[in-house]
Amino acid sequence: MVRGMETRQHSGVLYTCPMHPAVRQAVPGACPQCGMALESVMPAPASVVVPELVDFTLRFWWTLPLSLGVLVLAMSAHGSEAWSAGARSWLEGVLATPVVVWGGAPFFVRWWHSLRQRRLNMWTLIGTGVGAAYGYSLAALGWPTAFPMALREQGHVGVYFEAAALIVSLTLLGQVLEGRARANTSAALRALLDLAPKVARRVRGEGQEEDVPLAHVQVGDQLRVRPGEKIPVDGVVLAGHSSVDESMLTGEAMPVEKQAGDDVVGATLNGTGALLMRADKVGAATVLAQIVELVARAQRTRAPMQRMADRVSAWFVPAVLVSALLTWVAWGLYGPEPAWTYAAVNAVAVLIIACPCALGLATPMSIMVASGRAAQAGVLFRDAEAIERLGAIDTLIIDKTGTVTEGRPRFLEVQALGELPVNEVLRLAASLELGSEHALATAVVAGARARALTLSPTVNFQSVTGLGVRGEVDGQRLVLGSEALLQQAGAQMQSTPSTVDRLRAEGATVMFLASHGQAVGWVAVSDPIKEGAVSALQQLRAAGIRILMATGDSQLTAAAVARQVGITEFVSDCQPADKAAWVARLRREGAHVAMAGDGINDAPALAAAEVGIAMGTGTDIAMSSAQVTLVKGDLRGLVRARTISRAAVVNMRQNLGFAFLYNALGVPLAAGVLYPVLGLLLSPMVAAVAMSLSSVSVIVNALRLRYAVVTD
């Protein structure tokens, strides 16, 4: 215990089992209850390696050539002049031994733990199957005369080293892929944590300032945030005035004006002004840390299929072991001479034919083929859970910006309010906006250049936080922004045109242009609905899916976008925790919820949903937190993903049916139930062939998914 605590303090990482959260330990390894690899509770530092992943990767690559060599030897012709049956068997044994003994050592440890703790699981099957095939082959190689004549060919008994070696290699490969997936998850969470600045500028009572590590900031400290810096922690503004980019939280591009008394959130980006703030929440209490915790907690969950596999193993494994034992006893007591030799051979045949090769391939093969087919259709599934769950969802929550809309404002319209020509209004507005890096400014400039207008330089440019911009263009004093900015500048405007009200009701942003104190026109920009979004949502509704929208944008804009795409249920002004809470509430009510989004602010909800769906055009954090990525950021990809998911689930069920059918028929045959009636005895060789056929049937059936029809 002391040693474990020292390791935890040294690495700062605590590990738990996704299936058994009560299991907590300071070092990585396997769960003592189910054998599953433990995962870190919170993301480990980038410098901390995952020893199990490194170990399994090394074992896999060193043993793979040996396993392939054993397979080639086993498939070679028995009558070969170059190789006698005995020499070939000995060489197979030499190549297979390091694979089984060294490569499979971790599996035998888990197998032993499952037996010692009386918690039978898939490792019990794998360890028993590999041990039976390898042990029988060693006995056949070393003591062939102990076997019945019927099992000997030219004095040699058939061996099954290839079965033992390949099972080990395939299992190692599966563990490596799973380990890499877990490492990618930790990398995504570390990327979230890296959003916070590393240092903060603390202000002392004497007016002196110093840069301190973020971990040294305490509640009540006064901090200086200079233009362009990130807010270090959560707190409140004491003095100063600036605009803060809170897209990390809201997903919206519009900066938020901050002044004395306003709350600020750590990791958001300060604009052009300087702020003096008081730290109110630090460390794990900050909004960013809570987002990381929400994502980590949701990602530690696992698919019901994995829990089902353990439940199946709870009766399947004992049933196989009991069958082998009964076979051995029955043949030993009542079989023909040499009775106990027949008993051993038939018991081994039972264990070999029950080896879970087909059962192990049933789901992975379907997942592999379905994932490849989905990739061709522009859909990336992260894991089996996503493929299993997506087809069963009945509720879909979607973000607005970047999911339903493109997330990039575009120039929409320009109008003159006086004698100034329309193009001149746009030219002056775009010239003034050249000095701004705001997304709305970029849209106005792009609109002017699309009309081939010649822009002029701006002098005395000034950005008025949250309101607009000022400056001089070609000798004219210009103001561009909201009505409030025009009033502040003393510009005259009779009334708001009805066209402006209509555009705003449709979700557009309208900015007024004033020259020398008189309103001369306005320009409008809009974030358009994505192509195909309306039709995709219609198809999903037709499939019986309830669709809701959650956005950090205002009520007016949210209502306008919802109306355009036919959504009747939506919430506005959502924070990340609000979206995740909405997902959790719907799940508690019994809904099967998927969440689609593209921003960092969507990460907790994406992870909390049964299936998180990220736009490939969005942030890396969103894609890392989601189980499904739509590469083109097109909601029509979600329709295709759902089609593939439903086909894959049907295919997996068929494969599991094949696997259990082979075992249901093969185990009794291997036990010799037909021997008293037909004199039919299933040798271990035939058992191995039957085991191979079960795997082939699973593979062939899974390959049918390559032709799954996906349409928009």
Side-chain angles (χ1 to χ4, degrees):
M1 179 64 70
V2 174
R3 181 180 180 182
M5 290 301 295
E6 289 176 350
T7 304
R8 177 186 173 185
Q9 292 172 359
H10 175 72
S11 66
V13 182
L14 188 64
Y15 296 87
T16 186
C17 174
M19 303 295 294
H20 302 91
V23 175
R24 297 285 179 111
Q25 65 183 50
V27 293
C31 173
Q33 298 187 31
C34 66
M36 179 179 290
L38 299 180
E39 298 181 357
S40 57
V41 174
M42 290 294 287
S47 58
V48 176
V49 299
V50 182
E52 182 184 76
L53 177 58
V54 174
D55 180 48
F56 281 1
T57 302
L58 180 67
R59 292 176 191 267
F60 171 71
W61 287 113
W62 275 99
T63 59
L64 180 61
L66 299 177
S67 297
L68 294 177
V70 177
L71 179 62
V72 170
L73 288 171
M75 295 175 63
S76 63
H78 286 274
S80 172
E81 295 180 359
W83 296 97
S84 68
R88 187 174 57 250
S89 297
W90 275 102
L91 184 55
E92 287 183 36
V94 170
L95 295 178
T97 295
V99 176
V100 174
V101 175
W102 179 70
F107 306 151
F108 286 113
V109 171
R110 297 181 183 185
W111 169 80
W112 171 244
H113 286 165
S114 71
L115 296 178
R116 187 181 62 182
Q117 298 181 9
R118 298 181 180 87
R119 293 181 179 271
L120 304 183
N121 50 48
M122 292 299 292
W123 296 109
T124 316
L125 286 176
I126 293 172
T128 303
V130 172
Y134 182 73
Y136 173 86
S137 299
L138 280 183
L141 194 63
W143 301 276
T145 55
F147 289 77
M149 288 298 299
L151 299 178
R152 283 184 261 169
E153 180 181 353
Q154 298 179 354
H156 299 284
V157 180
V159 295
Y160 310 101
F161 288 118
E162 78 283 359
L166 286 175
I167 292 172
V168 170
S169 291
L170 290 174
T171 306
L172 282 170
L173 176 60
Q175 292 301 298
V176 168
L177 295 178
E178 181 183 346
R180 288 180 178 176
R182 293 199 309 272
N184 290 336
T185 298
S186 297
L189 294 178
R190 283 197 300 270
L192 274 175
L193 291 173
D194 288 342
L195 291 173
K198 300 297 184 292
V199 297
R201 191 163 187 82
R202 184 162 56 192
V203 179
R204 294 181 176 178
E206 307 82 32
Q208 297 180 347
E209 299 181 2
E210 61 176 349
D211 289 335
V212 298
L214 192 64
H216 293 177
V217 176
Q218 300 179 359
V219 174
D221 283 350
Q222 292 189 10
L223 307 173
R224 178 82 63 191
V225 185
R226 292 166 291 193
E229 292 183 339
K230 288 184 177 181
I231 308 294
V233 295
D234 298 1
V236 64
V237 177
L238 299 177
H241 187 276
S242 184
S243 60
V244 176
D245 180 0
E246 295 187 338
S247 58
M248 185 271 289
L249 295 175
T250 65
E252 309 303 328
M254 291 291 290
V256 180
E257 187 177 356
K258 299 292 182 180
Q259 56 188 0
D262 291 337
D263 293 329
V264 288
V265 179
T268 56
L269 182 63
N270 185 30
T272 56
L275 297 174
L276 178 67
M277 63 169 290
R278 182 185 69 240
D280 289 344
K281 295 180 180 179
V282 300
T286 64
V287 171
L288 178 62
Q290 292 172 3
I291 290 176
V292 173
E293 171 60 23
L294 285 170
V295 176
R297 186 186 310 152
Q299 287 186 337
R300 285 197 297 269
T301 60
R302 284 297 182 269
M305 187 175 298
Q306 292 175 320
R307 293 191 290 270
M308 182 191 72
D310 277 346
R311 289 195 297 269
V312 169
S313 299
W315 63 264
F316 180 69
V317 177
V320 171
L321 296 176
V322 169
S323 297
L325 178 61
L326 291 177
T327 299
W328 180 71
V329 172
W331 277 92
L333 295 178
Y334 307 109
E337 290 299 333
W340 291 104
T341 300
Y342 276 108
V345 170
N346 291 327
V348 169
V350 169
L351 291 173
I352 290 177
I353 204 169
C355 190
C357 291
L359 186 61
L361 285 172
T363 298
M365 278 302 303
S366 297
I367 295 301
M368 183 178 67
V369 180
S371 299
R373 182 68 185 94
Q376 294 175 346
V379 178
L380 300 179
F381 286 105
R382 191 179 70 180
D383 51 30
E385 177 183 359
I387 296 179
E388 179 191 359
R389 288 183 178 271
L390 183 59
I393 65 166
D394 53 31
T395 303
L396 172 66
I397 300 178
I398 55 175
D399 176 50
K400 179 186 74 66
T401 305
T403 304
V404 176
T405 66
E406 293 188 358
R408 294 184 298 273
R410 295 180 182 179
F411 170 74
L412 184 64
E413 190 174 339
V414 58
Q415 287 293 335
L417 297 177
E419 297 180 356
L420 205 64
V422 169
N423 276 355
E424 182 64 11
V425 171
L426 179 58
R427 189 188 75 83
L428 291 174
S431 297
L432 187 58
E433 290 283 31
L434 277 174
S436 173
E437 296 180 353
H438 197 280
L440 299 179
T442 303
V444 174
V445 172
R449 286 176 171 164
R451 297 191 181 190
L453 302 179
T454 302
L455 306 185
S456 301
T458 302
V459 295
N460 299 324
F461 175 82
Q462 180 184 4
S463 176
V464 184
T465 304
L467 297 177
V469 294
R470 295 172 175 169
E472 294 182 16
V473 177
D474 296 338
Q476 300 186 57
R477 296 194 309 275
L478 302 177
V479 176
L480 178 66
S482 64
E483 293 102 315
L485 180 61
L486 267 64
Q487 292 175 2
Q488 188 182 101
Q492 301 295 320
M493 189 173 66
Q494 298 299 326
S495 61
T496 303
S498 59
T499 305
V500 171
D501 292 333
R502 175 181 58 81
L503 288 172
R504 284 175 170 168
E506 293 173 355
T509 299
V510 178
M511 296 170 286
F512 290 91
L513 178 68
S515 175
H516 295 291
Q518 183 66 42
V520 295
W522 53 265
V523 293
V525 298
S526 176
D527 189 6
I529 304 297
K530 282 187 176 181
E531 180 183 359
V534 175
S535 62
L537 295 176
Q538 287 175 345
Q539 291 181 65
L540 293 171
R541 275 193 296 270
I545 297 177
R546 177 187 177 191
I547 301 176
L548 312 95
M549 186 176 75
T551 176
D553 215 333
S554 66
Q555 169 75 15
L556 183 62
T557 302
V561 173
R563 185 170 56 252
Q564 292 179 59
V565 297
I567 294 176
T568 58
E569 297 179 82
F570 66 90
V571 291
S572 58
D573 301 307
C574 267
Q575 296 296 312
D578 298 330
K579 294 182 181 181
W582 201 18
V583 170
R585 179 172 62 81
L586 289 170
R587 294 189 66 179
R588 286 195 301 270
E589 294 172 356
H592 298 287
V593 183
M595 169 70 193
D598 77 321
I600 294 172
N601 59 301
D602 300 315
L606 290 171
E610 290 186 62
V611 180
I613 304 163
M615 303 296 111
T617 51
T619 65
D620 291 339
I621 301 300
M623 287 184 279
S624 298
S625 300
Q627 289 84 25
V628 181
T629 298
L630 308 182
V631 177
K632 296 182 180 180
D634 187 343
L635 283 174
R636 288 175 293 189
L638 180 53
V639 179
R640 297 191 289 269
R642 185 174 180 272
T643 300
I644 293 172
S645 170
R646 294 172 70 87
V649 169
V650 171
N651 194 269
M652 284 188 282
R653 290 173 179 168
Q654 292 171 344
N655 283 347
L656 288 172
F658 285 140
F660 283 115
L661 178 62
Y662 272 102
N663 279 293
L665 296 177
V667 169
L669 290 177
V673 295
L674 296 181
Y675 184 80
V677 180
L678 302 177
L680 181 62
L681 194 61
L682 192 66
S683 71
M685 177 65 75
V686 177
V689 172
M691 181 183 67
S692 300
L693 289 177
S694 67
S695 300
V696 170
S697 65
V698 164
I699 293 172
V700 171
N701 187 57
L703 291 176
R704 295 191 304 110
L705 285 173
R706 292 184 300 179
Y707 308 104
V709 179
V710 290
T711 62
D712 295 329

